[in-house]
Amino acid sequence: MDNKGAVDLANNYSVGGRTRHVDVRFFYLRELKEEGLMVIKHVPGIENDADIFTKNVDAQTFERHLPAF
């Protein structure tokens, strides 16, 4: 994940006062993490291969990430 808030929410039951409104069905990733089936960690944008599909990137960045696909 490249969203620090999402990583914190997946790793902690309560990040702030507003998280109490998140429906329990959205905690599926947390359940997978607790069962040891998934590791959730922050991936900086410069290392995130999926960014070439979600953001405008220059040719150099595109070429650097392209071999991952």
Side-chain angles (χ1 to χ4, degrees):
M1 290 183 194
D2 66 351
N3 183 309
K4 184 79 168 100
V7 172
D8 290 342
L9 183 58
N11 288 321
N12 301 307
Y13 282 101
S14 181
V15 175
R18 295 182 186 198
T19 58
R20 68 179 179 271
H21 298 292
V22 176
D23 195 305
V24 294
R25 65 187 163 159
F26 297 113
F27 292 128
Y28 179 66
L29 294 179
R30 184 181 295 161
E31 292 172 9
L32 292 177
K33 180 185 118 351
E34 289 173 353
E35 293 173 9
L37 300 174
M38 176 182 286
V39 175
I40 299 174
K41 66 178 187 168
H42 181 257
V43 176
I46 197 161
E47 297 174 14
N48 190 347
D49 295 324
D51 275 357
I52 66 171
F53 299 115
T54 62
K55 298 180 176 143
N56 292 325
V57 295
D58 57 35
Q60 181 182 5
T61 303
F62 183 83
E63 293 293 331
R64 184 175 65 241
H65 290 287
L66 193 58
F69 301 100

